[in-house]
């Protein structure tokens, strides 16, 4: 074996070790997120006190006349209007404030939440190092098969989540479902999809691999975050409907749902995420068509991967159209968004594993 081959083999083993190490740290982050929810849950007395406080504050605010605040500034008096309390709501939705977050508004819960985010960041850096090391080992883009695609996908999904946190967005409620999904994704990757590092077939050996597949991975990761928010929106919306109609949710449902953002906020987040990434998904399909023209001499051949990419595009286009159509906002649009993401998942897993197509030669 040549020195170059030995070096590449050593880099491949190092990449595998880094991926396994990231899984260990992700597992710790998973348990830390569970601790955040458990230790952040408010007791029955605490919840009752919070509800009484909120009810009293609402009654006082509704009954109180307009109040002005006088502030002395350098010998003069400035009069300020009473600030208005703004709650998130959309057209046809309830004015419901966001919950306190996964920590439940407690110091202990917040501590475990910060530990979880720190562990998630560490695991992300380790996994990203594993993906980069894999790229050096194979001397190409590290997403030439399903194993590499899966490890890169989870890396980008976690990176997008951390990016939202870095931007100051209150999305720590995404942490637990994200860690669960990442561990499942990496578990399947190292168990069933593990493929030795190798060079690509000539048709895939193109700079379009960097452009087309990287954008597909990024779009899928962001679509995933939008799908989680959409699913939670459906649960939270049902919870708010039950409260509005005089229903009495169980203690577990109340503990969880009270700490999520309001249904309006979750709906807004999922819409903005899907709307922002949809143009990039459009570019992904166009880039794939251009690559197909270079590799196979035709831009579109109704291959299974091409068909399901287009079906996914139609699904998200229908979702965005439904959001702009009266009577289709809210739950109906959310169902369309989940169907569109299910199409993406089938395109990601089903086509590559169960369907014979021109994309199958990349292997799993």
């Amino acid at each position: 074996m040549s020195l170059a081959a030995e070096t590449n083999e050593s880099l491949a083993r190092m990449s595998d070790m880094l991926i396994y190490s990231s899984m260990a740290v992700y597992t710790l982050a998973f348990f830390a997120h569970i601790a955040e929810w458990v230790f952040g849950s408010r007791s029955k007395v605490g919840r009752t006190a919070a509800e009484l406080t909120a009810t009293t504050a609402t009654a006082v605010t509704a009954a109180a006349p307009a109040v002005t605040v006088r502030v002395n500034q350098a010998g003069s008096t400035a009069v300020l209007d009473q600030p208005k309390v703004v709650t998130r709501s959309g057209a046809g939705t309830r004015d419901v404030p966001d919950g306190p977050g996964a920590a439940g508004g407690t110091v202990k819960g917040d501590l475990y939440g910060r530990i979880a985010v720190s562990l998630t960041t560490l695991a992300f850096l380790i996994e990203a190092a594993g993906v980069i090391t894999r790229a050096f080992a194979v001397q190409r883009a590290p997403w030439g098969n399903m194993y590499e695609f899966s490890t890169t996908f989870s890396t980008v999904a976690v990176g997008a989540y951390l990016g939202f946190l870095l931007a100051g967005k209150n999305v720590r409620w995404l942490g637990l479902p994200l860690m669960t999904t990442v561990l499942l994704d990496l578990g399947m990757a190292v168990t069933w999809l593990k493929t030795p590092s190798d060079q690509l077939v000539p048709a895939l050996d193109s700079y379009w691999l960097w452009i087309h597949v990287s954008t597909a991975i990024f779009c899928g990761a962001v679509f995933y975050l939008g799908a989680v928010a959409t699913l939670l929106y459906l649960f939270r919306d049902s919870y708010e409907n039950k409260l509005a109609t005089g229903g009495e949710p169980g203690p577990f449902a109340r503990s969880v749902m009270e700490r999520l953002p309001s249904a309006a906020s979750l709906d807004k987040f999922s819409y903005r995420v899907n709307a922002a990434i949809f143009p990039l998904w459009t570019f992904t399909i166009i880039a794939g068509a251009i690559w197909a023209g270079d590799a196979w001499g035709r831009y579109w051949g109704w291959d299974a991967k091409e068909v399901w990419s287009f079906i996914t595009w139609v699904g998200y286009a229908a979702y965005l159209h439904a959001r702009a159509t009266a009577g289709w906002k809210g739950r109906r649009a959310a169902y369309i968004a989940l169907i569109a993401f299910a199409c993406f998942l089938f395109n990601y897993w089903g086509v590559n594993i169960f369907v014979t197509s021109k994309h199958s030669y990349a292997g799993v």
Side-chain angles (χ1 to χ4, degrees), residues 17-338:
M17 181 183 67
L18 289 169
I19 295 299
Y20 281 112
S21 299
S22 69
M23 291 178 65
V25 183
Y26 278 132
T27 302
L28 294 177
F30 171 77
F31 285 114
H33 275 297
I34 291 179
E36 177 188 15
W37 282 91
V38 171
F39 290 102
S41 61
R42 293 175 290 176
S43 65
K44 183 176 180 180
V45 175
R47 288 199 304 270
T48 303
E51 291 170 0
L52 290 174
T53 302
T55 303
T56 304
T58 303
V60 170
T61 303
V67 177
T68 59
V69 180
R70 297 182 180 275
V71 181
N72 293 325
Q73 294 180 338
S76 61
T77 302
V79 179
L80 304 178
D81 293 332
Q82 181 186 24
K84 296 181 179 179
V85 178
V86 179
T87 56
R88 294 176 173 85
S89 63
T93 61
R94 296 168 294 273
D95 289 336
V96 178
D98 292 337
T106 66
V107 175
K108 182 180 288 188
D110 183 64
L111 173 63
Y112 282 106
R114 291 177 183 274
I115 292 174
V117 172
S118 299
L119 289 171
T120 302
T121 303
L122 176 60
F124 164 75
L125 294 175
I126 296 174
E127 187 182 13
V131 171
I132 294 172
T133 305
R134 177 83 173 192
F136 283 110
V138 296
Q139 298 180 358
R140 56 168 171 78
W143 40 74
N145 51 57
M146 281 293 290
Y147 169 74
E148 296 172 355
F149 192 98
S150 296
T151 54
T152 306
F153 177 86
S154 59
T155 304
V156 176
V158 176
Y161 164 70
L162 295 175
F164 279 115
L165 287 177
L166 193 62
K169 304 298 181 181
N170 180 23
V171 295
R172 212 161 73 188
W173 43 270
L174 273 171
L176 184 57
L178 177 62
M179 291 302 98
T180 305
T181 307
V182 166
L183 287 172
L184 289 174
D185 179 66
L186 291 178
M188 288 187 289
V190 301
T191 304
W192 298 323
L193 305 176
K194 187 67 181 297
T195 305
S197 59
D198 199 0
Q199 294 304 310
L200 299 173
V201 296
L204 284 179
D205 190 11
S206 169
Y207 62 89
W208 282 106
L209 179 68
W210 291 92
I211 301 172
H212 171 64
V213 183
S214 63
T215 54
I217 292 173
F218 182 74
C219 289
V222 179
F223 279 147
Y224 162 76
L225 298 182
V228 173
T230 301
L231 190 62
L232 292 177
Y233 156 75
L234 292 175
F235 287 116
R236 173 75 190 202
D237 185 62
S238 297
Y239 173 78
E240 292 180 6
N241 283 333
K242 191 170 187 177
L243 290 179
T245 55
E248 188 64 31
F252 177 78
R254 182 180 292 274
S255 176
V256 173
M257 292 300 158
E258 279 185 351
R259 287 183 278 158
L260 288 176
S262 66
S265 294
L266 289 168
D267 185 46
K268 185 185 299 182
F269 176 82
S270 59
Y271 169 68
R272 289 180 174 178
V273 164
N274 290 327
I277 209 65
F278 180 74
L280 189 60
W281 181 248
T282 304
F283 169 78
T284 301
I285 297 177
I286 295 173
I290 296 174
W291 188 9
D294 291 343
W296 302 320
R298 90 295 187 274
Y299 295 103
W300 192 266
W302 298 103
D303 181 70
K305 179 71 72 171
E306 297 168 348
V307 169
W308 279 96
S309 296
F310 179 68
I311 291 175
T312 303
W313 184 91
V314 171
Y316 278 106
Y319 164 72
L320 296 177
H321 179 72
R323 288 294 306 237
T325 304
W328 277 88
K329 295 180 180 180
R331 299 184 68 88
R332 289 184 177 181
Y335 293 139
I336 297 176
L338 291 179

